[in-house]
Amino acid sequence: QTVRIERSPAQIWAFMMDFSTAPRWRNLVREVRILSDGPLRPGSELQVTFDVFGRVRTTRCEVLAFETARRFGLRNVTPKVTGTFEYTLAPEGTGTIVTFSCDLRPHGVMWLLLPMMIRSNRARYAQQLTNLKREVERAA
C-alpha cells in the first residue's frame, strides 16, 4: 500500500514515532509502549495492545529497521503468528510517498486459519495509510 502525504518525511516520521498517536491511525491499535531502555534502534522491543476479533490482545514486537525519516520496520514475535511490518518514506516534491508492507506467517495449526487471516488483515490494514495521511496533514 502506498499514499502521498503533503508533508516532509521528517514531519511524518515525528508523527509516526510519537506512539501516543498510534490509535488515531493504526487500525485496532489501543497502545504502543517502548519496553527497551535508550533510544529506539534495531533490536528495541515494543508492546502493542490491540483489538482483534472482539478481544483485546497484547503482543511484543522487535524493531527490525530504524532509519530516521526513511524506514521503520517491526517484527511481531508472538509464537502462533509472526509477521513483519514496514513503513518506508521517500520525498517527492513538496510531499512524501509512504509505503506500508505486511507479511504474516502462521505457525502450527494456525495455517488452517490462513485464508481468514488474509481477508481480515487486508481489511484491517486497508485504511491505515489513509488514516495516517489524514492525521498527519491535520496535525502539521
Side-chain angles (χ1 to χ4, degrees):
Q1 297 176 341
T2 300
V3 70
R4 186 176 197 288
I5 300 177
E6 289 301 323
R7 297 294 183 262
S8 71
Q11 289 171 303
I12 298 166
W13 183 264
F15 185 86
M16 289 174 62
M17 294 300 105
D18 175 358
F19 293 128
S20 71
T21 68
R24 292 172 32 199
W25 65 277
R26 294 181 70 188
N27 296 20
L28 309 179
V29 170
R30 287 185 171 202
E31 178 185 42
V32 178
R33 288 187 2 189
I34 301 170
L35 300 177
S36 303
D37 292 330
L40 278 181
R41 63 190 176 284
S44 294
E45 286 193 349
L46 304 176
Q47 179 177 295
V48 180
T49 303
F50 58 97
D51 296 302
V52 65
F53 302 120
R55 292 188 164 158
V56 176
R57 303 276 189 205
T58 300
T59 190
R60 292 178 92 121
C61 294
E62 176 186 1
V63 175
L64 291 177
F66 191 90
E67 298 172 34
T68 302
R70 292 188 52 215
R71 185 170 165 237
F72 181 65
L74 295 171
R75 178 177 58 213
N76 171 3
V77 292
T78 301
K80 293 180 183 178
V81 179
T82 56
T84 57
F85 309 86
E86 186 169 311
Y87 302 87
T88 58
L89 290 74
E92 181 184 75
T94 60
T96 303
I97 300 295
V98 180
T99 302
F100 170 71
S101 63
C102 169
D103 181 27
L104 294 176
R105 305 280 175 163
H107 302 282
V109 297
M110 293 302 283
W111 275 104
L112 299 172
L113 300 175
L114 184 60
M116 183 178 73
M117 287 174 58
I118 290 171
R119 281 191 309 275
S120 170
N121 283 306
R122 277 192 190 132
R124 183 173 156 188
Y125 296 120
Q127 291 299 314
Q128 187 166 262
L129 291 184
T130 301
N131 295 343
L132 177 63
K133 175 182 174 68
R134 180 191 66 236
E135 294 296 325
V136 169
E137 291 179 352
R138 180 187 307 167

